[in-house]
Amino acid sequence: MSFSSRFRVETTDLQSGKILRMNKNGNIGLKTIAAATNVSVTTVSRVLRNKGSISEKTRKIILETAEKLNYRPNLLIQGIQTGITGNVGVMVPPFNPYWTQVLKGIHDGLVSQNYAPITLWDKSGPDSKQCEAHMLGQLHRLIDRRIDGVILWPKISELYGSHLDELESRTMPVVTIDHELDFSDSVGSDEFLGTKLVSQHLYELGHRRIGHLAGSSRWTWARLRRQSFEQHLSALPDVLLTTVESDDETVPQAAHELLTSKAKLTAIFACSDWVAFEIYKKAAELNINIPEDISIVGYSDTHKLAQWITPALTTVRQKPFEIGYKAAELLIQQIDTRRAPNRHIKIGCEIKTRQSTRKILS
């Protein structure tokens, strides 16, 4: 015995007594709403997609009927018809508390406008070529799912930029976070403000021999953070600045270099809280006391350890949730208006003074 795969589900509108037909998945379709409201399927479609000029009376009847019948749009068909799928690629890993909050902001910003994030992230490892191949594979995985746009964190932003020729035939709206590209919008912290707060704080405490453990200049955030800090200190009299740049692997070595510098530094500004924690560890190994022998300032304040560590860390508090939310907002604007991406938004920050910095005694 065989059964046909074609069947019909019916329900009855209790007010009108009409038999309403559902599709085979048990969902109400446009034809059902059209039959219940005595208008054409085309009119129903235009109202539900908010297109065309329809009288307010007809629009109200259709929307009320759709709500009463628990109508849910077929996003697959809408995507084919409009080219807009409602899906957004997000390549931002929950790498640490900062990026977890950024990711939460992206999620909430997209969902608030009825977009669905598809989240993938890159693969870390010692083999850089293998990692790059994996990241490119993730990008193609998103693109192949006809996403409307993509939000990228710094590492994947740089890779996207370097492989633009390969991806050029499949251009899409792009927003980057903490890294700027010529062909995308970007969102990040106000580095000029953050480093101004650090320089003023240390200078007012009497520090004149200051070190900066900077992040890799390949990242926009680290480059701007360093340049802004140098700019602020150069405007202050009698300041000697010693800067050492590092990447993830060389932070302990760079910390040792600053802590044992012949310049006899009295304060170090770390490019992130994680880097500041590494300075704490290296200082302990060298029997250097914080803040008696040297003051330390970090940047982020999204990790509870900044408050729990002894002494508690003075640091710049960023606003990662707001950064993520703004990134989602910029991407949706690009998708909806198809405007050229040329906006680089800076989100404010503030300094949290704790016990890791102290006044220099004359």
Side-chain angles (χ1 to χ4, degrees):
M1 182 181 296
S2 62
F3 296 90
S4 171
S5 62
R6 297 174 59 86
F7 61 92
R8 184 176 69 196
V9 180
E10 299 180 340
T11 188
T12 302
D13 183 338
L14 297 179
Q15 290 186 350
S16 65
K18 290 183 178 180
I19 293 178
L20 305 178
R21 295 184 179 181
M22 299 180 181
N23 59 30
K24 66 180 181 180
N25 295 318
N27 298 323
I28 292 292
L30 300 185
K31 291 182 179 180
T32 303
I33 299 173
T37 54
N38 293 316
V39 299
S40 68
V41 172
T42 300
T43 299
V44 172
S45 175
R46 290 166 67 189
V47 168
L48 295 179
R49 291 189 294 120
N50 199 26
K51 301 292 184 181
S53 178
I54 308 293
S55 73
E56 192 57 37
K57 180 180 178 181
T58 301
R59 181 181 300 276
K60 182 179 179 182
I61 292 173
I62 291 172
L63 292 176
E64 287 179 349
T65 302
E67 182 178 5
K68 181 178 67 174
L69 297 175
N70 295 318
Y71 167 76
R72 300 293 300 166
N74 188 321
L75 297 180
L76 177 61
I77 293 176
Q78 283 192 5
I80 295 172
Q81 293 173 337
T82 66
I84 303 296
T85 64
N87 296 325
V88 167
V90 180
M91 291 199 69
V92 175
F95 181 71
N96 56 32
Y98 172 81
W99 285 106
T100 299
Q101 284 298 307
V102 169
L103 192 57
K104 186 176 187 301
I106 292 171
H107 171 274
D108 288 5
L110 291 175
V111 170
S112 71
Q113 299 300 314
N114 203 30
Y115 282 84
I118 301 177
T119 306
L120 297 174
W121 47 78
D122 55 284
K123 179 180 181 181
S124 299
D127 189 333
S128 59
K129 289 186 177 180
Q130 185 180 26
C131 292
E132 182 174 313
H134 180 267
M135 285 190 286
L136 276 176
Q138 297 289 64
L139 271 172
H140 284 297
R141 188 170 283 112
L142 289 172
I143 292 169
D144 291 344
R145 280 161 175 77
R146 297 185 62 199
I147 55 174
D148 299 328
V150 65
I151 300 175
L152 308 172
W153 84 312
K155 186 182 294 187
I156 194 67
S157 299
E158 184 187 47
L159 183 71
Y160 191 95
S162 63
H163 287 268
L164 184 59
D165 290 342
E166 178 184 342
L167 301 165
E168 196 168 29
S169 61
R170 307 157 97 176
T171 53
M172 71 180 73
V174 177
V175 174
T176 57
I177 296 178
D178 285 347
H179 190 70
E180 295 179 7
L181 297 172
D182 293 337
F183 55 88
S184 75
D185 289 339
S186 69
V187 188
S189 292
D190 187 339
E191 306 297 354
F192 190 83
L193 172 61
T195 53
K196 180 180 180 180
L197 295 172
V198 174
S199 60
Q200 286 180 338
H201 174 65
L202 292 177
Y203 195 81
E204 289 169 0
L205 290 176
H207 296 280
R208 299 296 183 266
R209 298 189 305 277
I210 300 171
H212 177 40
L213 208 169
S216 173
S217 58
R218 66 193 291 196
W219 311 124
T220 302
W221 66 268
R223 187 167 62 251
L224 291 177
R225 202 164 292 176
R226 173 179 178 171
Q227 292 172 349
S228 299
F229 190 55
E230 291 174 344
Q231 181 179 345
H232 290 306
L233 288 185
S234 67
L236 299 173
D238 304 321
V239 174
L240 174 65
L241 174 64
T242 302
T243 299
V244 176
E245 182 178 313
S246 68
D247 53 29
D248 291 350
E249 290 75 24
T250 60
V251 167
Q253 177 185 340
H256 185 277
E257 183 176 341
L258 287 175
L259 289 168
T260 59
S261 171
K262 293 180 180 179
K264 296 183 178 179
L265 306 175
T266 62
I268 297 176
F269 168 42
C271 65
S272 71
D273 285 356
W274 175 79
V275 170
F277 301 151
E278 290 294 315
I279 296 174
Y280 270 54
K281 291 195 293 185
K282 185 58 65 173
E285 293 174 12
L286 297 170
N287 294 316
I288 295 174
N289 297 317
I290 303 170
E292 290 81 9
D293 299 324
I294 194 162
S295 292
I296 306 295
V297 180
Y299 208 104
S300 180
D301 203 38
T302 52
H303 200 300
K304 291 294 185 183
L305 188 57
Q307 301 174 45
W308 296 340
I309 199 170
T310 302
L313 179 65
T314 293
T315 185
V316 173
R317 175 174 290 178
Q318 296 175 276
K319 300 178 179 179
F321 178 87
E322 288 85 346
I323 289 172
Y325 200 95
K326 188 64 179 181
E329 182 180 290
L330 287 180
L331 189 73
I332 292 170
Q333 288 175 5
Q334 281 193 58
I335 294 169
D336 289 348
T337 66
R338 291 295 166 179
R339 66 167 176 79
N342 58 2
R343 300 184 65 188
H344 301 290
I345 304 299
K346 306 300 181 185
I347 304 297
C349 49
E350 58 185 321
I351 193 166
K352 291 294 177 181
T353 56
R354 301 190 180 103
Q355 289 73 51
S356 68
T357 53
R358 75 177 187 116
K359 189 175 182 66
I360 294 293
L361 301 178
S362 56

